[in-house]
Amino acid sequence: MTPLNSIERIFSSPGRVRVLVDLLDKSEVNITQLSRLGLNYASVAKHIRALKAEGLLYEKRFGRIRIVCVNEDDARIPLLRRFVREWRRLEQGLARA
């Protein structure tokens, strides 16, 4: 697997991108809180599984509560955070224009 294939899989779904961006902002979140992104629970769970398979996330469980966490040990996380920050800056600049 090449890094490009990995990035393509991460960004292949708008829903997956929304889940990832929200998690990058918070570092960890209760999985049910991600439903506020406008996705149903099954979709959120599917995207989390894909991101966990990529090694970007891991999960902690406390009884029935599932907390999803960003894997800060993954070298791609700082790059993804920088990308999201720059994307938002670009969007703000375009909104002002």
Side-chain angles (χ1 to χ4, degrees), residues 11 20-21 24-25 75-90:
F11 288 105
L20 179 60
V21 167
L24 288 171
D25 286 343
R76 296 170 293 179
I77 294 300
L79 298 172
L80 288 166
R81 280 196 172 113
R82 190 174 331 141
F83 175 80
V84 168
R85 199 169 38 251
E86 289 299 316
W87 184 265
R88 286 179 176 150
R89 189 178 61 76
L90 179 63

Side-chain angles (χ1 to χ4, degrees), residues 1 9 47-57 76:
M1 170 180 35
R9 272 196 305 282
H47 295 311
I48 287 172
R49 272 193 306 277
L51 293 166
K52 281 171 49 180
E54 284 295 324
L56 296 172
L57 305 179
R76 296 170 293 179

Side-chain angles (χ1 to χ4, degrees), residues 4 6 16 23 26 41-42 46 49 83 89-90:
L4 183 57
S6 173
R16 187 170 304 142
L23 280 160
K26 296 178 178 70
Y41 185 85
K46 177 182 78 170
R49 272 193 306 277
F83 175 80
R89 189 178 61 76
L90 179 63

Side-chain angles (χ1 to χ4, degrees), residues 2-93:
T2 67
L4 183 57
N5 289 342
S6 173
I7 296 297
E8 287 174 353
R9 272 196 305 282
I10 293 167
F11 288 105
S12 66
S13 163
R16 187 170 304 142
V17 171
R18 288 193 313 207
V19 168
L20 179 60
V21 167
D22 195 63
L23 280 160
L24 288 171
D25 286 343
K26 296 178 178 70
S27 291
E28 70 177 43
V29 68
N30 181 325
I31 192 170
T32 56
Q33 292 173 331
L34 291 170
S35 64
R36 75 184 183 304
L37 297 173
L39 302 170
N40 63 43
Y41 185 85
S43 293
V44 169
K46 177 182 78 170
H47 295 311
I48 287 172
R49 272 193 306 277
L51 293 166
K52 281 171 49 180
E54 284 295 324
L56 296 172
L57 305 179
Y58 66 94
E59 192 174 295
K60 298 188 285 191
R61 288 182 182 255
F62 302 97
R64 291 178 15 169
I65 298 172
R66 295 170 59 193
I67 305 293
V68 183
C69 308
V70 172
N71 180 6
E72 300 292 346
D73 294 332
D74 191 298
R76 296 170 293 179
I77 294 300
L79 298 172
L80 288 166
R81 280 196 172 113
R82 190 174 331 141
F83 175 80
V84 168
R85 199 169 38 251
E86 289 299 316
W87 184 265
R88 286 179 176 150
R89 189 178 61 76
L90 179 63
E91 280 184 324
Q92 288 172 354

